[in-house]
């Protein structure tokens, strides 16, 4: 049973624990992203994974960006999403060796990583601007 006087203390402890978890996550995520190309060498994925990810990302980005455009009328998220999807498609082309590059494996990793980060940024901006617009309407 939680006594009334213990609730604020429990809330503070939970807040500290969550803050530390967030700090670890925020520090570890950039390191994981930076090491993703090197880590991908040790992870064996089937050949169709690149195409499947692109086929899932395309409609998700289209729906999200379309809804975002209707709400905030900003081009940046859609342009970034298009760029990210294009980079993912180039990564797939490098993986399948449809591109004439010296090192298709490295091109695949870098293009796919850049595409994924660009697409994530597009979704983040889209979400943020949609949320701002909604919050602004609630304040009026």
């Amino acid at each position: 049973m939680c006594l009334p006087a213990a609730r604020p203390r429990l809330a503070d402890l939970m807040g500290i624990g969550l803050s530390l978890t967030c700090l670890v996550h925020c520090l570890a995520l950039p390191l994981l992203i930076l090491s993703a190309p090197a880590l991908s060498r040790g992870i064996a994925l089937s050949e169709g994974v690149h195409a499947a990810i692109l086929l899932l990302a395309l409609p998700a980005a289209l729906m999200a960006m379309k809804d975002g455009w209707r709400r905030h009328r900003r081009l940046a998220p859609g342009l970034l999403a298009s760029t990210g999807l294009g980079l993912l498609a180039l990564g797939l082309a490098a993986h399948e060796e449809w591109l004439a590059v010296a090192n298709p494996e490295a091109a695949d990793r870098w293009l796919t990583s850049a595409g994924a980060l660009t697409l994530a940024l597009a979704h983040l901006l889209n979400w943020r601007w949609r949320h701002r617009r909604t919050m602004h309407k609630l304040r009026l």
Side-chain angles (χ1 to χ4, degrees):
M1 184 168 148
C2 207
L3 300 174
R7 286 184 185 157
R9 183 171 182 261
L10 181 60
D12 283 337
L13 288 174
M14 286 177 56
I16 291 167
L18 291 171
S19 296
L20 289 174
T21 303
C22 183
L23 179 64
V24 168
H25 169 75
C26 290
L27 292 176
L29 187 59
L31 293 174
L32 182 63
I33 289 171
L34 288 173
S35 64
L39 292 174
S40 69
R41 289 183 184 163
I43 300 172
L45 298 173
S46 73
E47 288 299 312
V49 169
H50 284 85
I53 289 172
L54 186 57
L55 288 175
L56 290 172
L58 188 61
L62 184 62
M63 285 189 302
M65 297 306 140
K66 182 180 174 185
D67 181 62
W69 169 254
R70 282 196 339 245
R71 292 176 190 249
H72 56 65
R73 298 281 188 214
R74 295 185 188 226
L75 285 175
L79 292 173
L80 279 171
S82 298
T83 302
L85 289 167
L87 288 168
L88 287 174
L90 284 172
L92 174 62
H95 177 77
E96 297 295 333
E97 297 183 5
W98 297 334
L99 294 179
V101 292
N103 188 346
E105 191 176 311
D108 166 29
R109 279 197 295 273
W110 286 106
L111 288 167
T112 302
S113 296
L117 288 172
T118 304
L119 189 55
L121 177 61
H123 281 290
L124 180 65
L125 284 175
N126 192 50
W127 176 82
R128 190 170 174 202
W129 284 333
R130 266 192 319 177
H131 182 69
R132 248 189 216 165
R133 179 93 171 144
T134 304
M135 291 306 292
H136 179 66
K137 283 182 181 178
L138 292 175
R139 289 182 192 163
L140 294 177

